[in-house]
Amino acid sequence: MSASPQRHFSLLALIGLLLSGCASTQPGPTDEGSTATRANDRHAQTRSFASSSGTQAVAKAATPDSARTEAASGLLEDSLNPGFAIDLDALQAREDLWVRVRGGFAMADLDNDLVRKAENWYSSRPDYVDRMTERGSRYLFHIIEEVNKRDMPAELALLPFIESAFNPQALSSAKASGMWQFMPVTGKDFALKQNIFRDDRRDVLASTRAALDYLGRLHKRFGDWHLALAAYNWGQGNVQRAIDRNLKAGLATDYESLRMPDETRYYVPKLQAVKNIVLAPEKFNLRLPPVANHPYFLSVNIDRDMDVAVAARLAGLSVDEFKQFNPQMNKPVMLAAKTTQVLLPYDNASAFALNLAAHRGPLASWTAWVVPRTMKSAEAARQVGMPEAQLLDINKIPPRMLVKQGSTLLVSRTSHRDDDVSEHLADNASLAFAPDVPPLRRQSVKAGKGDTVAAIAARYRVSAAQVAQWNKVGASARFKPGQMVVVYTPVSAKASTRSAQAPQRSKAQAKGRTVQTAQSGRTARPAKNSRPAKAHSNGRQVTASAQGNGESRQR
């Protein structure tokens, strides 16, 4: 990417400054709960990341010369303010971010028993609060910057404490995901891509943008931040109906006056409790880790597909640490077509840029392969030259399932399959399965007196649920005598069919009878002199039909 002279100079200076800091920083503790840091020490919050994985030697081994430093400088940028120099020694950067957060509070306060309940819950769990605030300190500067840009109240920057305890990989039982806990459908409404390669609901930058867009839309609709928060938790349609009920009854329509589920009733009081703790942590016998008023992470541009493990090694991080900043990947490879940047702490960002500029050899060991036709996993593994167990594991293919035509599988790179994944696949890849069962033959059976779903199922060795589904009846239904009942049996299971049918008669009866056909659903009269066969079982008529080469397939 191109850069102005001023920006280019600032990035060169930043890389030199950071590398000198890496060289002089001694290994420190990596305990998540450790808060022995100073807000004005730009290395304090990244020290454990620079050394904990034992891969910092990569950065040391890649001693930068001027050409490599210049190449690496074009990879680094602040995703919040691209094009502007970052002065870590500026007075503003040394301020405590918590002071800035407190100064931006603008929402009306709640003061009720539910607020007291939430305060007591947090104050009785200081270890939990320590972990939550320490984790949140990585992302808080970015969020408060975005909040301020939109002229929103700073309380919204605390919402991830309530939603996910600032865990970008959180997944609820209702399938809400990420730091801001987006449901799948809502995420799609706000352009958070979800496919086999990535889930942008977990992306730190994208999910923050989407959450604040959503909250802004809700505030515009309801004109009140408490109601907007209720709608974020409960759904805007539910909040609107609650308001309409109160209007019809002549009641107030503020947050505390509406009838709502307990979870939503407790939602804003929990946020108020966190706000009160941030305002005066000592009042609750709690402490907040100091957080510097500058970005915790930088964006580093990538233009080739890259294994997550390789990226972590180049940055001097463990894979788990790398995923704290880049949690959106579903697979062990990042696709440059849609993941154009990675987020890294300062020290690690500079090391990554320098090591990437010096790297020789492959960056990715995986690529994508589109399945040309529906096939078994064993056949797919043979075609791509992988062990079947590895293919099943990396693609999470369930047992006894076929991979359907058009599905995208992650496969090992080879000399003849070494391309980066295309933008189209990176954005639209999907994976679909079908049960690996024998082809089925459709049969129409004439029910006899007293026949039930269970009786037909037992006779043809299928489940009652299948018979009920095929005939659109309940599992305990009883058929009328003479009613035509549909069953499907495996083509190869001839013994199963014979056990349910009597031997066919050698001569056709009732000349001119019609035969049902599966492919058209029409009735066809036999040609002249033809002798249609008719099978009987205990007086019940059975007509077997086939499609194509003598069989009707259903998966």
Side-chain angles (χ1 to χ4, degrees):
M1 53 179 274
S2 61
S4 65
Q6 178 182 4
R7 180 184 178 198
H8 184 70
F9 175 80
S10 66
L11 288 169
L12 286 172
L14 176 61
I15 290 176
L17 181 64
L18 291 172
L19 285 176
S20 65
C22 284
S24 62
T25 300
Q26 298 299 318
T30 61
D31 189 288
E32 182 184 4
S34 175
T35 58
T37 59
R38 299 200 321 272
N40 62 352
D41 182 352
R42 63 178 170 270
H43 301 298
Q45 295 182 31
T46 58
R47 179 176 303 167
S48 62
F49 291 101
S51 59
S52 62
S53 65
T55 54
Q56 188 179 358
V58 177
K60 292 182 178 180
T63 305
D65 55 29
S66 58
R68 276 170 35 207
T69 303
E70 184 174 351
S73 67
L75 301 173
L76 288 168
E77 71 175 16
D78 174 15
S79 59
L80 294 169
N81 298 294
F84 290 89
I86 304 169
D87 185 358
L88 299 182
D89 293 318
L91 183 62
Q92 183 180 11
R94 298 185 179 190
E95 294 176 355
D96 188 351
L97 186 61
W98 293 115
V99 174
R100 181 179 171 190
V101 171
R102 294 180 190 115
F105 287 157
M107 285 171 51
D109 286 331
L110 282 181
D111 188 6
N112 57 33
D113 291 342
L114 290 178
V115 175
R116 303 287 87 77
K117 176 183 176 181
E119 290 173 344
N120 291 335
W121 193 93
Y122 287 118
S123 61
S124 65
R125 294 167 173 80
D127 291 344
Y128 174 82
V129 174
D130 280 347
R131 291 193 302 272
M132 181 172 66
T133 52
E134 187 72 21
R135 189 162 52 229
S137 68
R138 303 167 191 153
Y139 316 109
L140 192 58
F141 177 85
H142 173 80
I143 296 174
I144 198 65
E145 282 280 298
E146 292 285 8
V147 166
N148 290 165
K149 284 180 182 179
R150 300 160 187 260
D151 197 26
M152 289 176 159
E155 287 93 337
L156 298 182
L158 306 179
L159 197 58
F161 284 121
I162 308 304
E163 286 288 348
S164 64
F166 265 104
N167 179 5
Q169 300 190 65
L171 179 66
S172 76
S173 58
K175 304 304 180 184
S177 183
M179 193 160 59
W180 296 91
Q181 288 291 280
F182 272 97
M183 294 293 288
V185 173
T186 311
K188 289 178 183 177
D189 288 344
F190 287 88
L192 296 178
K193 178 65 67 174
Q194 302 153 59
N195 63 21
I196 64 173
F197 290 118
R198 75 183 198 275
D199 188 341
D200 285 347
R201 295 179 298 162
R202 300 195 302 263
D203 185 290
V204 173
L205 305 184
S207 66
T208 297
R209 181 264 311 158
L212 296 180
D213 284 351
Y214 188 24
L215 287 163
R217 178 190 294 182
L218 293 172
H219 181 258
K220 184 177 181 180
R221 173 170 181 173
F222 295 107
D224 177 273
W225 280 114
H226 290 167
L227 292 178
L229 288 166
Y232 188 88
N233 174 257
W234 189 26
Q236 53 188 320
N238 291 324
V239 171
Q240 187 60 59
R241 283 187 286 273
I243 291 173
D244 293 342
R245 281 194 299 267
N246 277 26
L247 286 173
K248 187 175 181 179
L251 302 174
T253 58
D254 60 288
Y255 173 81
E256 293 190 89
S257 299
L258 298 182
R259 192 175 73 220
M260 58 183 63
D262 290 343
E263 178 186 329
T264 309
R265 171 68 62 210
Y266 195 33
Y267 190 68
V268 176
K270 283 197 295 185
L271 183 62
Q272 180 70 52
V274 172
K275 174 183 176 179
N276 294 345
I277 290 170
V278 170
L279 282 169
E282 67 282 353
K283 179 180 175 181
F284 303 94
N285 294 318
L286 297 171
R287 62 185 300 276
L288 301 177
V291 183
N293 187 34
H294 64 68
Y296 188 89
F297 49 77
L298 290 176
S299 297
V300 185
N301 297 328
I302 61 173
D303 59 6
R304 292 296 309 274
D305 290 359
M306 189 181 306
D307 287 354
V308 172
V310 171
R313 179 174 58 82
L314 293 176
L317 298 172
S318 71
V319 170
D320 286 342
E321 290 165 342
F322 183 86
K323 287 182 177 179
Q324 291 174 3
F325 300 94
N326 305 278
Q328 68 272 23
M329 265 71 73
N330 290 332
K331 300 295 183 183
V333 63
M334 300 179 296
L335 308 184
K338 282 300 176 178
T339 303
T340 58
Q341 295 178 326
V342 295
L343 304 183
L344 294 168
Y346 269 79
D347 289 344
N348 307 94
S350 64
F352 178 91
L354 289 165
N355 290 326
L356 181 58
H359 183 79
R360 298 295 179 268
L363 291 169
S365 56
W366 302 98
T367 188
W369 179 67
V370 179
V371 180
R373 56 184 174 79
T374 299
M375 63 179 65
K376 295 185 176 184
S377 58
E379 182 182 355
R382 284 194 299 272
Q383 289 205 24
V384 299
M386 287 175 64
E388 183 183 6
Q390 184 185 28
L391 185 75
L392 291 171
D393 180 63
I394 200 70
N395 291 284
K396 297 181 172 58
I397 301 174
R400 297 181 298 280
M401 297 295 283
L402 300 172
V403 183
K404 296 187 72 173
Q405 179 181 5
S407 292
T408 300
L409 294 178
L410 193 67
V411 300
S412 300
R413 290 197 178 208
T414 64
S415 57
H416 63 278
R417 189 175 54 246
D418 194 34
D419 293 334
D420 284 354
V421 178
S422 69
E423 183 175 356
H424 174 77
L425 272 186
D427 229 11
N428 300 288
S430 62
L431 184 55
F433 306 110
D436 186 8
V437 296
L440 300 176
R441 179 172 58 182
R442 183 183 189 273
Q443 298 185 80
S444 295
V445 180
K446 195 172 186 179
K449 183 177 180 181
D451 267 347
T452 63
V453 168
I456 296 290
R459 187 176 305 138
Y460 287 89
R461 299 182 183 179
V462 295
S463 71
Q466 288 175 307
V467 174
Q469 180 183 12
W470 295 332
N471 293 277
K472 297 180 175 59
V473 297
S476 59
R478 182 180 298 273
F479 296 110
K480 296 178 181 179
Q483 180 178 348
M484 299 305 294
V485 180
V486 173
V487 294
Y488 289 88
T489 57
V491 170
S492 59
K494 297 179 180 179
S496 175
T497 303
R498 289 196 200 101
S499 67
Q501 297 178 356
Q504 293 185 350
R505 297 184 179 179
S506 59
K507 294 184 179 181
Q509 297 179 351
K511 181 179 179 181
R513 289 186 185 271
T514 59
V515 179
Q516 295 181 341
T517 61
Q519 50 266 58
S520 66
R522 297 173 300 176
T523 58
R525 186 174 297 276
K528 188 176 181 180
N529 299 326
S530 66
R531 298 192 175 189
K534 175 177 165 185
H536 291 260
S537 176
N538 298 328
R540 300 176 181 87
Q541 178 180 348
V542 179
T543 57
S545 59
Q547 182 176 16
N549 297 324
E551 56 189 55
S552 175
R553 296 176 181 263
Q554 175 177 322
R555 291 193 175 96

